[in-house]
Amino acid sequence: VSQSRYADFDCIIEHFTKLNKKVDKCVIFTDGYANIKKENIDLVKKNNLKVVGLAFVDSDNGIESATESLNKFCFRVFSIKKGDF
């Protein structure tokens, strides 16, 4: 289990792809406010990394932002809006 603060999805993907294929699946818990570079999206595909994104958001606008970022590289994306949990 690893945690990052005030980072983007790039540091997470770079970390997992440097583990020499020891990890082929990961779950990212996020508030959704992050981006990812195209080169790291390509790393996900190249390494066949299955990523599930779980975004906890405060509003419908937050869901759109979170899912837009996560859908770029995640196998599955789930959004949970405040009040739903």
Side-chain angles (χ1 to χ4, degrees), residues 6-9 30-35 55-67 69-70:
Y6 309 109
D8 53 29
F9 296 129
T30 183
D31 62 5
Y33 300 102
N35 292 306
F56 293 89
V57 294
D58 291 333
S59 65
D60 289 334
N61 188 35
I63 288 175
E64 291 176 23
S65 173
T67 56
S69 296
L70 292 168

Side-chain angles (χ1 to χ4, degrees), residues 31-79:
D31 62 5
Y33 300 102
N35 292 306
I36 185 169
K37 296 176 187 169
K38 184 185 179 323
E39 63 195 53
N40 287 321
I41 294 171
D42 295 340
L43 273 177
V44 169
K45 294 174 184 176
K46 177 183 173 188
N47 289 287
N48 199 28
L49 180 63
K50 299 293 186 224
V51 182
V52 172
L54 183 55
F56 293 89
V57 294
D58 291 333
S59 65
D60 289 334
N61 188 35
I63 288 175
E64 291 176 23
S65 173
T67 56
E68 182 180 334
S69 296
L70 292 168
N71 278 327
K72 292 178 182 177
F73 66 98
C74 288
F75 176 67
R76 295 277 193 266
V77 175
F78 300 93
S79 297

